[in-house]
Amino acid sequence: MKRSIYALAVIVLIVIAGVIIFEVSKSTTFDKIVLERLNGNEISSITLLRTLDDNSEEEISITDPNGIKKVVHYFSQMKLKEKKSRPSVDYTEQYRIIIRTDEKRRFGITLYDNNYLSVYDYNATLRGISSYEITNKIDDPSVIPSLFNK
């Protein structure tokens, strides 16, 4: 009887460990999914588009290295959890970001209310788009909106 209880306990622990490992493996960062894929290429520009309530858009382009660093630092703070598809969420703010290297589009990012983001890799041959939930609180969530107020 004791052996079967121990065996059951071991099986339960293995299952729990497997679930934990699986969930942790789905966690990532912006640096891993974007910056590490740049292969040492510098970001030449970042274009930001903000969709307004009336479905019009505002667009700004950042080519200044300090401005690029500010945007990259903002995204680098994010801890992300991959989702199978973009969750259908109600959002109040949506920003599309295009990262260019050598003046060519490299990544497209859509940010939804600092809660979710979708990343499109223009160089991907297969599954180019991935969706993520932002799992941590961003130090200054007003960084992206403030860029439009200059």
Side-chain angles (χ1 to χ4, degrees):
M1 185 70 165
K2 277 188 174 183
R3 278 190 176 171
S4 61
I5 291 174
Y6 286 128
L8 182 61
V10 169
I11 291 170
V12 168
L13 288 174
I14 290 172
V15 169
I16 290 172
V19 169
I20 290 170
I21 290 169
F22 178 74
E23 286 299 313
V24 168
S25 70
K26 290 180 10 181
S27 297
T28 189
T29 64
F30 177 80
D31 292 359
K32 286 181 185 174
I33 60 171
V34 173
L35 298 182
E36 289 180 9
R37 289 192 205 163
L38 291 176
N39 300 324
N41 293 333
E42 276 195 39
I43 297 172
S44 56
S45 69
I46 297 177
T47 302
L48 295 108
L49 296 108
R50 174 168 63 178
T51 304
L52 303 172
D53 291 338
D54 63 358
N55 285 330
S56 64
E57 291 183 336
E58 288 181 295
E59 179 178 326
I60 59 171
S61 186
I62 301 170
T63 55
D64 172 58
N66 290 328
I68 291 172
K69 283 181 187 176
K70 183 177 182 178
V71 173
V72 168
H73 174 72
Y74 169 79
F75 282 103
S76 291
Q77 298 176 63
M78 294 179 179
K79 292 183 178 151
L80 306 169
K81 184 173 183 177
E82 188 168 9
K83 297 294 182 179
K84 293 205 184 287
S85 62
R86 183 182 74 81
S88 56
V89 293
D90 291 327
Y91 54 87
T92 56
E93 291 182 323
Q94 175 186 343
Y95 296 92
R96 289 181 311 194
I97 298 98
I98 300 168
I99 295 176
R100 288 185 170 81
T101 58
D102 301 322
E103 300 306 318
K104 295 177 187 164
R105 291 185 304 178
R106 184 60 182 90
F107 287 98
I109 300 167
T110 305
L111 176 66
Y112 304 93
D113 286 338
N114 290 316
N115 295 321
Y116 295 94
L117 63 97
S118 295
V119 177
Y120 181 76
D121 184 346
Y122 287 99
N123 288 355
T125 53
L126 294 173
R127 187 174 162 250
I129 192 161
S130 300
S131 296
Y132 302 90
E133 178 181 4
I134 301 168
T135 60
N136 65 317
K137 188 169 172 73
I138 305 301
D139 289 341
D140 183 4
S142 67
V143 168
I144 301 297
S146 71
L147 295 170
F148 288 90
N149 299 330
K150 292 185 176 181

